[in-house]
Amino acid sequence: MSGSGGDVSGPLRVLLADAASLQRAGLRTVLAGGGTDPPDDGGRPGQREIVVAGEAGDGVEAVDLARRLQPDVLITDVALPRLDGLAVARAITEARLAVRVLILTGRDTDEEVVAAIGAGAAGYLCKDAPQAELVAAVHAVAAGGAVITPPVLARMMTRLAGTLLVDTGIAAAAKLSPLTGREREVLVHVARGRSNSEIAAILGVSETTVKTHVGHVLTKLRLRDRTQAVVLAYETGLVRPGT
């Protein structure tokens, strides 16, 4: 997964892309310090050290450095010269680089979140997010997870509840038809925001088994990550807001 040969015991390598040198310097300081705000879980011993592998001041440079440095995570502002952050994420996705993209934004619109997901970004945070939240997001994205800043996610779920036209009958069944009954059950739990360990406890199976089921769900439905799985679960009516 990482540009350092997948060595999860080594430092977590990050590339920063922002037009403002002061903003990049601030991010570098936060990441090097691990965030000054205490995390809610009291910290995670053994968490990988974050090192800044490079910096870019525009989108074209960001894509070039991502290709050459192969960092674990690219943290990019949306507003970049030459190529914006969404175009950078799209270029990295299309090039199939093993680089996870975390987008920072000051605009915070639902349309931008959807565009970011569509471009292949694995994370979306507001620039005013707490420092510890940023650090946690970098680790989560590097580990293969997906992160959307909580206020934005809550707002989008409310919007979905009011506007989503749920597919029913043959169309919905066709989308989920490749899944076994257990895989559908796992998808329901994923859509409700439960972790693999929580799902394992509920179903009475090992966490490894749950990871296998999740992998099968993503492969069979041709989904990139858990975020897309959540969206599909709501679109097909497998899970409905408020249930």
Side-chain angles (χ1 to χ4, degrees), residues 176-185 213 220:
L176 300 177
S177 61
L179 303 183
T180 65
R182 179 46 66 95
E183 288 165 354
R184 286 184 183 231
E185 191 175 4
H213 286 315
K220 289 181 178 181

Side-chain angles (χ1 to χ4, degrees), residues 4 32 35 46 57 69 75 152 179 204 210 213 224 242:
S4 55
L69 300 177
I75 303 177
V152 174
L179 303 183
V210 173
H213 286 315
R224 185 174 55 249

Side-chain angles (χ1 to χ4, degrees), residues 79-118:
L80 289 177
R82 297 209 282 175
L83 279 180
D84 66 21
L86 300 181
V88 168
R90 191 173 300 109
I92 287 175
T93 300
E94 291 175 351
R96 299 184 181 277
L97 300 182
V99 179
R100 304 281 284 170
V101 179
L102 173 61
I103 288 181
L104 297 182
T105 181
R107 292 198 290 264
D108 179 19
T109 66
D110 295 352
E111 290 73 19
E112 190 173 84
V113 178
V114 173
I117 294 173

Side-chain angles (χ1 to χ4, degrees), residues 46-209:
Q47 201 171 54
R48 295 168 67 190
E49 175 192 7
I50 298 176
V51 297
V52 175
E55 298 183 17
D58 65 63
V60 173
E61 185 182 14
V63 174
D64 179 60
L65 286 178
R67 289 178 182 274
R68 291 197 287 114
L69 300 177
Q70 292 287 306
D72 296 288
V73 178
L74 164 62
I75 303 177
T76 178
D77 186 12
V78 171
L80 289 177
R82 297 209 282 175
L83 279 180
D84 66 21
L86 300 181
V88 168
R90 191 173 300 109
I92 287 175
T93 300
E94 291 175 351
R96 299 184 181 277
L97 300 182
V99 179
R100 304 281 284 170
V101 179
L102 173 61
I103 288 181
L104 297 182
T105 181
R107 292 198 290 264
D108 179 19
T109 66
D110 295 352
E111 290 73 19
E112 190 173 84
V113 178
V114 173
I117 294 173
Y124 183 94
L125 284 183
C126 296
K127 285 187 174 182
D128 59 358
Q131 295 179 10
E133 185 176 323
L134 171 61
V135 173
V138 171
H139 283 285
V141 166
V147 176
I148 298 178
T149 193
V152 174
L153 182 59
R155 192 178 67 238
M156 290 187 67
M157 290 297 98
T158 300
R159 178 179 174 181
L160 279 172
T163 63
L164 187 63
L165 297 177
V166 179
D167 284 335
T168 57
I170 297 176
K175 288 182 179 180
L176 300 177
S177 61
L179 303 183
T180 65
R182 179 46 66 95
E183 288 165 354
R184 286 184 183 231
E185 191 175 4
V186 169
L187 177 56
V188 169
H189 289 299
V190 169
R192 288 173 177 164
R194 296 187 175 113
S195 66
N196 286 349
S197 60
E198 290 172 332
I199 298 172
I202 292 170
L203 299 182
V205 298
S206 69
E207 189 171 349
T208 299
T209 298

